[in-house]
Amino acid sequence: MFFIDTSRNGQPVHDALVNQSLDNYLINDLRLKGHGLICYINQPSVIIGVNQNAYAEIDLPYLKQHQIELVRRSSGGGAVYHDFGNLVFENIVVGDTSKFGDFHAIGDPVVDALHDLGVKSAEVSGRNDMTIDGKKFSGMAIVKGDNSYAAGGTVMFDLNMTAASEVLTPEKDKLASKGVKSVDARITNIKPYLPAKYQNWTTADFRNYLLCHMFGVDSLDQVETYHLTDHDWAIIDQRLDKQYRTDEWNYGKNPGFKHYVSKHFPIGTVSFNFNEHDGQITTVKIYGDFFTAGNPHVVEEHLVGTKLDKASLVAALNASDLAANLGQVSADDLAELILAD
């Protein structure tokens, strides 16, 4: 494993728009063979999954009032709040993709580092979380490229929980599935669990410890490192201007369709926003925090023109190759969700 230094002109980059675009460049363009690792800290921002509806997930007036940046990442997963009390790590793998989708392979090195600090209840749990005493301190995500993938997560060290609670507006059904009534009840920072001798650590201090532990070294200057070059940054800047800095990418368009249904399944939340006429679906958009290497638009295309009865919906959903384009969820369950409106 080697480290990929994402600083620019010797200074760390805290712009979430820039940092969230790096994985796409690293797995699809630069493609350094082997197992690389990046780790950065973002300024206040909300990061949403590639298939999420920003208008349903975020308190947009609060976001704008407090000058919090909205950024859409290239991978699935849910909405998270970042600030200087939070760090992000990503494994950049090119070549051997045998561990794609293995969230233990992603999370275990972080958990092991916490165990060695004395936080013995830290564990990888659920679909893609890391928890302490059952409370989430990290959500992980993954995105696949051509014989490559980027996989990592957020790590809440000393996050502003009040801001996170105000700006994130998760689906009520998802919260109910977790057996809790609020965001605050199910997330935690790492810092309160650290022994007294580590309570003066900053997020940067914790980042340094975590990276050294993951690489098995005493200091980062002992680690094989690739430094992003001016050429790399020129390409990254170009991509930012064309896609990642645009409102079309980050906010998307709120279709405003009449019907909206949503349910949390083992693969994650799946939401259908659609219009109908004379008992047939005329337009539909699928949202959610599910992970897929396929294309949810294929499912949408099969649903357009379908009659709103269970048999017709099941047939259309089965014809869309749900497993490949959405995930392991049954056509029967999705048909019942659509008809629940």
Side-chain angles (χ1 to χ4, degrees):
M1 186 165 69
F2 57 93
F3 186 60
I4 302 173
D5 173 23
T6 60
S7 63
R8 188 168 192 176
N9 299 322
Q11 298 298 317
V13 176
H14 298 301
D15 186 340
L17 275 170
V18 176
N19 288 330
Q20 290 300 141
S21 73
L22 294 177
D23 58 6
N24 190 283
Y25 172 71
L26 293 172
I27 65 173
N28 292 315
D29 296 277
L30 185 58
R31 296 181 59 81
L32 299 171
K33 192 168 181 61
H35 185 171
L37 183 72
I38 62 174
C39 189
Y40 53 82
I41 297 171
N42 283 329
Q43 61 199 24
S45 51
V46 170
I47 318 297
I48 61 173
V50 66
N51 296 306
Q52 288 193 292
N53 182 349
Y55 300 87
E57 297 286 341
I58 309 301
D59 185 335
L60 292 177
Y62 182 93
L63 180 127
K64 293 178 179 178
Q65 179 184 351
H66 291 83
Q67 297 181 315
I68 298 170
E69 197 168 41
L70 178 65
V71 182
R72 186 181 298 275
R73 61 176 174 267
S74 302
S75 59
V80 291
Y81 172 75
H82 289 182
D83 63 19
F84 290 107
N86 177 93
L87 62 88
V88 182
F89 72 99
E90 283 197 85
N91 297 271
I92 307 297
V93 179
V94 178
D96 181 6
T97 60
S98 60
K99 291 186 178 180
F100 176 80
D102 182 352
F103 285 105
H104 272 279
I106 304 167
D108 283 346
V110 178
V111 167
D112 290 344
L114 290 174
H115 288 172
D116 285 349
L117 284 175
V119 188
K120 299 300 185 183
S121 63
E123 62 178 343
V124 176
S125 65
R127 178 176 58 125
N128 61 314
D129 294 341
M130 286 185 268
T131 61
I132 298 174
D133 289 346
K135 293 186 176 183
K136 176 178 175 179
F137 69 86
S138 175
M140 295 176 283
I142 191 165
V143 60
K144 199 171 191 309
D146 181 15
N147 197 35
S148 61
Y149 66 89
T154 60
V155 177
M156 292 180 283
F157 180 74
D158 194 19
L159 191 78
N160 183 334
M161 293 294 189
T162 300
S165 179
E166 291 289 340
V167 75
L168 299 179
T169 55
E171 295 285 351
K172 293 179 181 179
D173 178 70
K174 180 192 291 188
L175 293 177
S177 77
K178 301 284 187 181
V180 297
K181 296 182 179 180
S182 71
V183 175
D184 290 344
R186 68 185 183 111
I187 64 175
T188 189
N189 280 314
I190 291 171
K191 192 171 184 177
Y193 292 89
L194 295 181
K197 61 182 177 179
Y198 302 124
Q199 283 298 315
N200 64 338
W201 271 7
T202 64
T203 308
D205 292 330
F206 177 72
R207 173 185 180 273
N208 186 66
Y209 162 78
L210 180 62
L211 288 173
C212 287
H213 192 282
M214 293 173 79
F215 282 103
V217 298
D218 295 322
S219 63
L220 287 179
D221 58 14
Q222 299 172 299
V223 177
E224 178 188 352
T225 301
Y226 176 86
H227 301 272
L228 290 179
T229 67
D230 290 343
H231 176 71
D232 294 325
W233 281 113
I235 298 173
I236 292 166
D237 288 341
Q238 185 182 52
R239 299 283 171 78
L240 285 167
D241 291 339
K242 286 187 175 180
Q243 179 176 352
Y244 297 110
R245 287 197 189 281
T246 66
D247 284 348
E248 182 179 359
W249 169 256
N250 292 305
Y251 285 82
K253 294 181 180 178
N254 185 357
F257 299 159
K258 181 178 179 182
H259 303 278
Y260 186 86
V261 290
S262 183
K263 186 173 181 178
H264 189 68
F265 297 99
I267 67 165
T269 297
V270 179
S271 307
F272 293 93
N273 194 190
F274 65 96
N275 282 330
E276 60 86 20
H277 182 69
D278 289 340
Q280 289 186 329
I281 294 175
T282 55
T283 48
V284 61
K285 180 67 179 174
I286 297 173
Y287 297 104
D289 62 4
F290 48 85
F291 296 99
T292 178
N295 186 357
H297 296 307
V298 173
V299 183
E300 295 168 353
E301 290 169 355
H302 278 80
L303 286 172
V304 171
T306 300
K307 293 181 180 179
L308 282 166
D309 63 70
K310 187 171 182 180
S312 299
L313 290 170
V314 168
L317 289 164
N318 280 330
S320 70
D321 195 356
L322 277 178
N325 291 307
L326 208 60
Q328 294 296 332
V329 61
S330 78
D332 276 29
D333 288 345
L334 293 181
E336 289 178 3
L337 172 60
I338 294 170
L339 294 171
D341 183 64

